[in-house]
Amino acid sequence: MGWVILGLLAAVIVYLVITYNGLVAMRQRVGQAFADIDVQLKQRHDLIPNLIETVKGYAAHERGTLDAVIAARNAAQSATGVHAQAAAEQQLSGAVGRLLALGEAYPDLKASANFQQLQVDLGNVEDKLAAARRFFNNAVGEFNAAIQAFPAVLFAPQMGFTPREFFDVGEAARTQLDAPPTVKF
């Protein structure tokens, strides 16, 4: 009888160790995924000054647009936390979109090889950033599900495992994204 109890106790301890190590691995994956987003954001932030300088040469009197992009970039670089970064990056995306739209108003700018290359580079970074965000949100979803599943839910909070936040665009942006596009001719 003593061996059975000892065997059950050993099995419970082994299960707890395996579960704990799995949760630690998932938490590390979430951290790594967030670091991948940071890398892509850094590349994006590094491209923006070059884009601004290129536009400045062709559209110097568009100072308001250029200042808005600079302010949005600075806000995005100084944002901390998942929600603050998501909101700041959303504003930066809008400002960069307005800056890129200037290419339509200035044919010489649109024809510039430097401007075209920066647009391609920025598009590539945006694609990588979207993939990094998807990976992060997937890692967060798996981690949150693991710490909320039985029996981990019984001991995960006491061991320091708390739910993580998704990299979300926010309610205001989601409302805009959910609205159907309007086409006018």
Side-chain angles (χ1 to χ4, degrees):
M1 180 70 160
W3 289 107
V4 172
I5 293 173
L6 187 60
L8 287 175
L9 184 61
V12 168
I13 290 173
V14 167
Y15 176 76
L16 288 176
V17 168
I18 290 171
T19 301
Y20 178 82
N21 288 341
L23 292 175
V24 168
M26 286 183 193
R27 182 171 56 193
Q28 291 298 340
R29 198 169 343 175
V30 168
Q32 176 190 5
F34 193 73
D36 289 346
I37 290 174
D38 275 345
V39 168
Q40 297 305 321
L41 291 176
K42 172 93 171 90
Q43 287 180 347
R44 180 188 196 195
H45 296 162
D46 289 347
L47 282 173
I48 291 173
N50 295 336
L51 187 60
I52 289 171
E53 287 303 314
T54 301
V55 171
K56 242 187 230 181
Y58 291 92
H61 61 282
E62 296 285 351
R63 191 75 192 154
T65 303
L66 298 175
D67 289 342
V69 172
I70 292 168
R73 177 182 180 261
N74 292 340
Q77 285 182 312
S78 64
T80 57
V82 177
H83 284 304
Q85 271 190 319
E89 291 300 329
Q90 187 70 23
Q91 288 180 344
L92 180 58
S93 292
V96 169
R98 288 187 296 278
L99 183 67
L100 292 175
L102 291 178
E104 297 299 320
Y106 298 93
D108 291 341
L109 173 62
K110 188 175 181 178
S112 165
N114 192 24
F115 184 72
Q116 290 175 356
Q117 184 60 46
L118 287 169
Q119 280 184 307
V120 168
D121 292 346
L122 193 59
N124 290 338
V125 168
E126 292 293 335
D127 291 343
K128 291 176 186 175
L129 185 56
R133 286 178 181 149
R134 281 191 303 274
F135 182 74
F136 173 77
N137 285 339
N138 184 49
V140 167
E142 288 177 4
F143 177 74
N144 289 347
I147 64 173
Q148 293 171 359
F150 185 80
V153 72
L154 300 175
F155 60 85
Q158 292 80 12
M159 294 182 163
F161 296 102
T162 57
R164 301 290 294 265
E165 297 177 10
F166 290 97
F167 203 99
D168 193 9
V169 296
E171 280 302 315
R174 188 175 300 107
T175 303
Q176 291 175 344
L177 294 173
D178 288 343
T182 57
V183 179
K184 295 181 182 178
F185 295 102

